[in-house]
Each structure stands twice: as C-alpha cells, then as structure tokens.
Amino acid sequence: MKKIIPIILLALIVPQMALASWWNPFSWKIFQRKTAPVENISPINPAPTSSEVSNSTETENKNELLTPPISKNIYSVVKVVDGDTIDVSIDSKTERLRLIGIDTPETVDPRKPVQCFGIEASNKAKDMLAGKKVSLEADNTQGERDKYDRLLRYVFLEDGTNFNEYMINEGYAHEYTYSLPYKYQADFKQAQKNAETSKKGLWGSGVCEEKPTPTPAPITTTPAPTPVTKTPKQTQTSSQCHSSYSGCLNPNASDYDCSGGQGDGPYYTGKVQVIGPDVFRLDRDGDGWACE
C-alpha cells in the first residue's frame, strides 16, 4: 500500500506540472518560434525593381544624347550671292541655291537699283555662311528647282539654327510665299510679325520709308499777252498713280498683292511692268514684270 500511494501522487502531479509549463508565457513564445513559418530568404542577387530599370534606361538615353548624331547632309558654302541666294558644293559640284520662304532686298540685279537694307542683308548672310558648313532640307511642296534652275532649299547652321527663319526674325528679309504654302510657312510668318513688332532691321523706324518724289512745277508759256498755263498730260505714272509700275497702282496704298495669290491685300493687281523700285515686292523672280 505504501508503494502505491507515491505512484498515485506522481501520476497526479506530473500532468499538472506539464500543463503549467504549457501555459507559461515564456514557453508559449518558444512554441511560437518553433512553429512560425519560415520567411522567404532573399536571393544573393535580387532582380531589379521597375524604378531601377527605368532609371537605368534614362541613364542610357542621356549617354546617347551626349554623342552628337553624324549627319550625312553637310555641305560647304562656296559663295554668298546675296541674302537669299548662295552657292554650295554638292558632290564636288557647285550648285546655286534659292532659300525657300524668304525674300531679301535686291543688291546684284543689274536691272534694278540696290534696294533698301539689301547691303545689310547680304553682309549678314556672308558673315554667317561664307566658308561655313551647312545642312540642307528640300520641300516637296515647292519642287526641286525654280525656273532659273536654282535648287530650292532650307539652310540650317551647324548648331541647328534655321537660317531662313533667322533672316526674317532679325529683320533682314521678308516672308515670301511663291505660290503654294510651304513646310515652315506659319513659323516664317510669325517671325516677320516678331521683327515688325520689335522694329528690327528693315522694319526699324525710318529705315526703309520711301521718300516722296518732288512734284515738278507746271510749265508756263506766254505766246499771247494772256499767260497760258499748260497742265502736264495725265499718264499712268502721274501723281495719281505709283511711279514704280506701268499699271496705275494707288501710290497711297499700304500694300499690294497679286490677284489670285496668297496675299491679304488690301489692294490687288494683275500683271504690270516694274519701272522703278519694287516697293510692293510684286516682282518675285526679278524679270521686270510683276504678278505674271
């Protein structure tokens, strides 16, 4: 009997000790650690995130921009004829180019006097282009060549500046639409407005204002005691018509454009002969006839 009692006591005490150990906070933490799921272990070389890939791509693009592109359309300027005409060496051949979209005052036409601001425009073109390298751009809307067999091109400087637009924007040239709209027409028209507003170059106050022609005094003869005054016969070049054109154009008009063209007036005319300074710039090809 004495042997049985200790066994019974032991059987009662051991389960209670085990239960107390099971609910002990410290033992519960150990149990949690043992039974917690194993976390994913990051690989030694983790895959790049989307932001890292994006940053890498931007860096590569910036490195590419640091290397200037090699242009195959670079040519040497052989001669500057005037503000809107140059000679360029293309495939070992000298070609004469007429710049698209601009018109500078005449300086070399033997049929016309040197026009206002023509020397300045020519000198500016020589300063920027003579002996320099340029790139050229054609325009399908304007054709390959004009009727004088000159190539029609836009000219770009080595730094990318559109030389045609520069000449207009700085007041050395007018915007010029020959017949059809061209690629940079809107930009060139805006450039002229900028020059006019800023009074640059030929748009400066008093720079190219035409001086009035003195009116000759009437011729008086005295064949009889009563003096007789002869009035000059009115012709198309009288004081009522512009002296620069064979047609009777209003000398007080602010501007003239060719009928059926792209101009906005306010006056229009058909074909007329230019017999003086072409103040309305109607004779675009310089053959002495306007609006042909």
Side-chain angles (χ1 to χ4, degrees):
M1 185 64 180
K2 293 181 179 180
K3 293 181 179 180
I4 295 174
I5 293 174
I7 294 173
I8 294 173
L9 292 175
L10 184 62
L12 294 174
I13 294 173
V14 170
Q16 291 180 355
M17 292 178 61
L19 182 61
S21 175
W22 175 262
W23 289 107
N24 183 283
F26 179 74
S27 300
W28 175 246
K29 291 182 179 179
I30 295 176
F31 174 77
Q32 285 181 318
R33 290 179 182 178
K34 290 181 179 181
T35 58
V38 179
E39 296 182 355
N40 292 330
I41 301 176
S42 300
I44 297 176
N45 295 319
T49 64
S50 59
S51 60
E52 291 174 337
V53 173
S54 176
N55 293 336
S56 176
T57 303
E58 290 178 1
T59 302
E60 292 177 359
N61 292 337
K62 290 179 180 179
N63 292 335
E64 291 178 359
L65 292 175
L66 294 176
T67 305
I70 301 175
S71 175
K72 298 180 181 179
N73 190 26
I74 300 296
Y75 305 97
S76 298
V77 177
V78 177
K79 178 182 178 182
V80 176
V81 180
D82 58 18
D84 55 33
T85 308
I86 63 175
D87 290 345
V88 175
S89 178
I90 301 177
D91 297 331
S92 301
K93 177 183 178 182
T94 300
E95 291 276 9
R96 179 149 294 185
L97 271 62
R98 177 64 167 83
L99 277 60
I100 299 173
I102 76 170
D103 182 42
T104 58
E106 292 293 342
T107 59
V108 295
D109 192 335
R111 301 166 298 178
K112 299 179 180 180
V114 175
Q115 295 178 337
C116 176
F117 221 72
I119 297 297
E120 291 83 350
S122 181
N123 289 340
K124 188 63 176 179
K126 291 176 182 178
D127 180 59
M128 297 184 68
L129 297 179
K132 303 295 179 60
K133 301 288 187 181
V134 297
S135 59
L136 307 176
E137 181 182 348
D139 191 331
N140 293 334
T141 67
Q142 303 302 300
E144 181 71 5
R145 296 177 182 268
D146 64 7
K147 66 180 182 179
Y148 299 107
D149 201 38
R150 298 177 296 187
L151 288 173
L152 299 174
R153 295 290 187 271
Y154 302 105
V155 174
F156 293 87
L157 305 181
E158 290 185 279
D159 63 0
T161 299
N162 186 324
F163 177 75
N164 307 40
E165 183 176 2
Y166 174 88
M167 291 292 281
I168 301 173
N169 195 65
E170 296 302 313
Y172 293 102
H174 301 90
E175 183 279 329
Y176 170 46
T177 301
Y178 180 69
S179 58
L180 298 176
Y182 52 92
K183 180 178 180 180
Y184 299 106
Q185 185 186 58
D187 294 334
F188 287 11
K189 285 184 177 292
Q190 183 60 49
Q192 177 164 318
K193 290 181 180 179
N194 295 342
E196 292 177 7
T197 302
S198 303
K199 297 186 180 300
K200 291 183 177 180
L202 58 86
W203 304 108
S205 299
V207 174
C208 288
E209 292 180 0
E210 185 179 6
K211 297 180 180 180
T213 303
T215 304
I219 300 174
T220 304
T221 61
T222 55
T226 303
V228 178
T229 301
K230 292 185 177 180
T231 303
K233 184 180 179 180
Q234 297 294 318
T235 64
Q236 289 185 329
T237 57
S238 67
S239 59
Q240 298 178 359
C241 301
H242 205 291
S243 60
S244 292
Y245 304 93
S246 61
C248 190
L249 274 62
N250 186 346
N252 299 317
S254 60
D255 190 19
Y256 263 90
D257 288 307
C258 296
S259 300
Q262 299 293 323
D264 53 4
Y267 294 88
Y268 298 88
T269 182
K271 182 178 179 181
V272 293
Q273 186 176 10
V274 180
I275 57 177
D278 186 15
V279 295
F280 296 128
R281 304 187 303 279
L282 300 175
D283 182 15
R284 298 303 189 182
D285 56 13
D287 65 353
W289 287 93
C291 300
E292 39 183 74

